[in-house]
Amino acid sequence: NAGVTQTPKFQVLKTGQSMTLQCAQDMNHNSMYWYRQDPGMGLRLIYYSASEGTTDKGEVPNGYNVSRLNKREFSLRLESAAPSQTSVYFCASMRGGENTGELFFGEGSRLTVL
Amino acid sequence: GESVGLHLPTLSVQEGDNSIINCAYSNSASDYFIWYKQESGKGPQFIIDIRSNMDKRQGQRVTVLLNKTVKHLSLQIAATQPGDSAVYFCAETLSGNQFYFGTGTSLTVIP
């Protein structure tokens, strides 16, 4: 049982390049999330998908797009990377349907934008 | 957005002692609170949660206390072990979809 799987684990980009972070969960969860984690800032929500077919902005959506490809997969795209997007990105999933906060996180994707 | 902060960024305790990690939240309407543990190089892991209609909840070696009057949340870890060394985050939510995380407290357990 893999849980939440993120790829790639590490990536270096040049300013202006684009890339997509992939996330897949095998727990049949309804809700999926993308967070970024910066030193001293905790985790900040970028986008989330409460259910297949829906996506909503979180606290810091600018510069990102997401796609809920199916119930398992939720991708995060940077169209034109900027140094300010250097961060560790975490995908998470939650069963949903109740007010429960048990988010299951992936191992993280460390992105550096030069 | 919400403001969830921690009083102390770092905490060192002796193995076997009890640890208390504190968290302040700003939105009095938040109705659900969660503590997560993050070990180095890993994603956060759920520890324990509490709803706003409760003031205390106990798990295995952990207790969460909620004081809505002063908008304060704490995590108590009994008989702290080296494996408890990690960064601890509190999170709050009103809608059940958007969870707002604090900045984290780094706990170091001294053998």
Side-chain angles (χ1 to χ4, degrees):
Chain A
N1 193 346
V4 178
T5 303
Q6 294 181 230
T7 55
K9 288 185 168 46
F10 300 93
Q11 183 72 50
V12 179
L13 292 176
K14 295 181 179 178
T15 297
Q17 287 185 317
S18 62
M19 76 158 299
T20 300
L21 298 175
Q22 307 286 352
C23 176
Q25 52 92 7
D26 61 2
M27 296 172 283
N28 201 34
H29 284 172
N30 292 315
S31 303
M32 297 186 73
Y33 305 79
W34 276 105
Y35 285 89
R36 60 177 289 173
Q37 185 174 33
D38 303 296
M41 298 290 289
L43 289 141
R44 291 183 293 168
L45 181 63
I46 305 171
Y47 271 93
Y48 68 99
S49 170
S51 61
E52 185 179 355
T54 68
T55 61
D56 286 286
K57 295 179 180 178
E59 300 171 82
V60 288
N62 292 343
Y64 304 96
N65 286 301
V66 290
S67 295
R68 183 74 183 266
L69 304 171
N70 48 54
K71 192 171 186 180
R72 289 188 66 248
E73 298 172 288
F74 189 39
S75 62
L76 178 71
R77 182 161 178 83
L78 287 70
E79 291 291 352
S80 179
S84 61
Q85 294 178 304
T86 293
S87 188
V88 181
Y89 291 84
F90 287 98
C91 177
S93 70
M94 185 176 73
R95 188 178 69 242
E98 297 177 9
N99 193 13
T100 171
E102 186 159 8
L103 291 166
F104 292 81
F105 285 85
E107 295 283 287
S109 298
R110 186 175 296 275
L111 174 66
T112 301
V113 183
L114 302 175
Chain B
E2 305 298 321
S3 173
V4 180
L6 295 171
H7 293 309
L8 295 173
T10 62
L11 178 65
S12 295
V13 298
Q14 292 287 338
E15 181 177 358
D17 286 352
N18 296 334
S19 303
I20 299 176
I21 300 171
N22 296 304
C23 176
Y25 64 94
S26 60
N27 188 351
S28 57
S30 290
D31 58 6
Y32 186 60
F33 305 88
I34 313 99
W35 281 100
Y36 283 86
K37 172 186 180 183
Q38 185 177 28
E39 297 176 343
S40 181
K42 295 186 178 181
Q45 287 183 297
F46 177 95
I47 302 174
I48 191 168
D49 59 0
I50 189 168
R51 300 184 189 280
S52 59
N53 61 353
M54 302 171 68
D55 54 21
K56 180 178 180 180
R57 192 169 188 211
Q58 290 184 294
Q60 188 176 11
R61 281 202 307 118
V62 294
T63 300
V64 55
L65 299 178
L66 175 62
N67 186 331
K68 294 182 289 293
T69 302
V70 295
K71 292 184 286 187
H72 183 266
L73 194 67
S74 69
L75 177 71
Q76 301 178 359
I77 305 173
T80 313
Q81 302 168 0
D84 294 328
S85 293
V87 177
Y88 290 81
F89 293 94
C90 63
E92 64 175 305
T93 185
L94 171 60
S95 68
N97 274 321
Q98 295 204 43
F99 295 90
Y100 297 92
F101 283 76
T103 53
T105 291
S106 177
L107 174 65
T108 300
V109 180
I110 303 166

